[in-house]
Amino acid sequence: MSLGFVGFRLTVVILAGALFLHTSADHLTHHPDKQESSLLKPTVLITILARNVQHSLPYFLGCIDRLDYPKDRISIWAASDHSEDNSTAMLQEWLRGVQHRYHSVEWRPTKQPSSYADEEGPKHWPESRVRHVMKLKQEALRAARRLWADYILFVDSDNLLSNRQVLTDMIAENLTVVAPMLESKSLYSNFWCGVTPQGYYRRTPEYIPIRKWKRQGCFAVPMVHSTYLLDLRRTESQDLAFYPPHSQYPYNIDDIMAFAFSARQAGVQMHVCNRDHYGYLPVPLDQHQTLEEEEESFAHTLTEALIAFTMEPSQYVHTTPKEPGKLGFNEIFLINLKRRADRRERMLNSLAVLGMNVTLTEAVDGKALNSSQLQDMGIDMLPGYKDPYSDRVLTRGEIGCFLSHYNIWKQMVQQELQQVLVLEDDVRFEPRFCSRLVAIMDNVHKVGLDWELIYVGRKRLQVKEPEQWVKGVNNLVHPGYSYWTLGYVLSLQGAKKLLEAKPLNKMLPVDEFLPIMFNKHPKDEYMQYFEQRHLRAFSVEPLLLFPTHYTGEPGYFSDTETSTIWDDEAMETDWDRGSAKHRREQKAEEIAVPLVTLHSTPGEVAPFSASGNTDEL
């Protein structure tokens, strides 16, 4: 072949190649690449360990159901552990109902017996039980690694993850071990800020600002427990373990202490995050307490969660509602405005959880009252009355509130009800509300106390003046000047005395009327309008009811204060918000008293074992 022809062929190939490149470049210029699709969510294995938790399991599983995270990116690893109750069957029922929704489900039941040979009760944590739980958690950790899960979430089966975004939020923190801070009635939470040389809990000044959201963010801490997320993609996470404990582990056998020690040895820092409100957990009980006491403790945790969240049991678990009772009263009245369906729903749910059978009483809506109606009912304001905080006169809302209570007093007399419990719809219940109130009333009847009214929730206004204890009766005092009618017990004789005072034509707020009736109002000019002031009044102490919200807090709204003044429909009122600072200070004073009694002695260290009898107080 001649060189000329070869050169010609080479020239043609080069020109063709150049034309192809030009065409391709032109194509790229005018037809950009298609945008890539979004990444799938990381995979998570959720660990569920259940032992004697049939009271909490339906609500716990309901929270898992409601997590806003793709179910096909979640695997479930579940185990039951020596249960005396129906926990095992309940958990199996849930797994059967949800297994088609999740990526995978693994079930590890513990066979009989239903208890450990060396345990003294269902709340006791002998070493055999601690080791068994450590082995179960280690097995869950191995399962997550075997599935190549990106994360594993450990969560106790009495913790309520009320925030549906909690899993997404914790993943977004991009930390190896992170816990969402959980709330309880006390200062107890699922993290420590200090550890003693023996590996136990140590009180530190850093704890309370985090627990009370004075500082917000994610914080490095030496210990998280109960609910926490592990990032298994991290190299250092390969050294994290529950069992067997690290070869240099120096402390008593304990699952959370052993895991925290392995984290320190692996160079993994634990964190707690409080950027939002994530959920609730009960304060641990003493190891000698009963399952009934644990159920009552969880019921309180659930009522706390219901204040801000909708808490429904899982639809995949059959539950039998608690048989409601009246705590020994003829009636339990719940006062609620028809237009406040939100409060009504929350209170009815809370009372169902507590097992209380209530009679719903529609409150008188003061905002709907006009001047003609007030005149027809013979309502007139007490001469000279002024609100002590805002210097205003009576409001229509306060009139409606008074009439709501007044109508119950009338009903008591008409039906000859011997004793009733009256509740307003904006209350939060203290732990063991039912059993504590029943015990007090039993004690009152046992000693034959002549009583007519017993405050269950109120606001002390003369906190610097000590109130005298009632002799022979536990947890009862002679009350001084008080505000609020959150809840009280009233006898038939007491109702008659309140009606006989004929308060409608000399009306003032109902929570100021009651102290007048037991002769404890500071203003004599008010009391002179009521000749008979010998109501036999007492108060539970410590109080068993408090408001759900205080003035100035998010979610606060008053139907009595935010209204119109009683004789002028055009003049609106909202003075209550102006006294927010004063009332918050009052709240702090009230809370300070019970907290002081819960402090341990100086220098005392509260050990935290699996039995969980420590509290950050």
Side-chain angles (χ1 to χ4, degrees), residues 55-295:
H55 55 277
S56 64
L57 202 53
Y59 292 95
F60 163 80
L61 295 173
C63 291
I64 301 298
D65 292 342
R66 290 187 292 273
L67 287 176
D68 189 8
Y69 201 87
K71 297 293 186 287
D72 61 353
R73 305 297 289 173
I74 296 177
S75 295
I76 301 294
W77 190 96
S80 62
D81 171 26
H82 295 76
S83 288
E84 298 178 8
D85 65 7
N86 199 39
S87 297
T88 300
M90 191 175 285
L91 187 52
Q92 285 180 299
E93 179 187 10
W94 181 77
L95 291 172
R96 286 193 297 269
V98 302
Q99 60 183 350
H100 66 284
R101 305 180 69 204
Y102 290 95
H103 174 73
S104 65
V105 169
E106 188 170 344
W107 170 235
R108 285 288 183 270
T110 298
K111 298 179 180 179
Q112 296 295 327
S114 60
S115 61
Y116 296 87
D118 54 344
E119 74 175 6
E120 299 173 5
K123 297 304 299 173
H124 181 222
W125 281 83
E127 184 173 318
S128 60
R129 180 182 177 187
V130 177
R131 288 187 181 276
H132 183 66
V133 168
M134 293 172 70
K135 290 176 182 178
L136 286 176
K137 290 185 176 181
Q138 185 64 35
E139 189 177 345
L141 191 53
R142 283 197 297 267
R145 289 166 174 159
R146 186 177 65 248
L147 289 170
W148 297 99
D150 296 317
Y151 294 87
I152 180 170
L153 176 70
F154 288 96
V155 52
D156 287 356
S157 50
D158 58 0
N159 291 189
L160 298 173
L161 300 181
S162 52
N163 188 323
R164 299 175 67 237
Q165 302 296 326
V166 61
L167 194 50
T168 300
D169 288 353
M170 292 303 102
I171 290 174
E173 295 298 338
N174 201 27
L175 296 167
T176 306
V177 180
V178 62
M181 189 183 79
L182 303 183
E183 306 168 46
S184 71
K185 173 61 180 176
S186 69
L187 292 174
Y188 177 76
S189 188
N190 58 323
F191 70 100
W192 302 355
C193 280
V195 176
T196 69
Q198 295 76 32
Y200 293 127
Y201 162 78
R202 180 170 62 87
R203 184 176 295 119
T204 64
E206 293 83 11
Y207 183 91
I208 290 180
I210 296 173
R211 173 63 183 85
K212 290 191 171 184
W213 292 278
K214 301 298 182 184
R215 297 178 61 205
Q216 288 186 272
C218 272
F219 304 95
V221 293
M223 170 69 78
V224 294
H225 59 85
S226 300
T227 295
Y228 48 97
L229 184 74
L230 275 61
D231 187 346
L232 299 178
R233 303 171 304 172
R234 307 283 181 177
T235 304
E236 293 173 335
S237 73
Q238 298 177 47
D239 296 324
L240 298 176
F242 291 93
Y243 196 87
H246 192 277
S247 59
Q248 299 179 30
Y249 179 71
Y251 311 131
N252 292 335
I253 195 72
D254 184 286
D255 59 327
I256 67 172
M257 289 166 58
F259 184 74
F261 184 83
S262 79
R264 289 195 292 275
Q265 294 301 109
V268 173
Q269 177 62 64
M270 292 180 161
H271 292 81
V272 67
C273 182
N274 69 349
R275 299 188 199 279
D276 203 345
H277 292 257
Y278 296 111
Y280 301 81
L281 80 171
V283 176
L285 302 186
D286 182 81
Q287 63 181 0
H288 298 296
Q289 291 183 272
T290 64
L291 290 179
E292 289 73 20
E293 289 173 303
E294 184 174 51
E295 180 177 354

Side-chain angles (χ1 to χ4, degrees), residues 368-379:
L369 296 174
N370 58 46
S371 300
S372 297
Q373 291 172 313
L374 298 181
Q375 188 174 8
D376 290 343
M377 287 186 284
I379 292 176

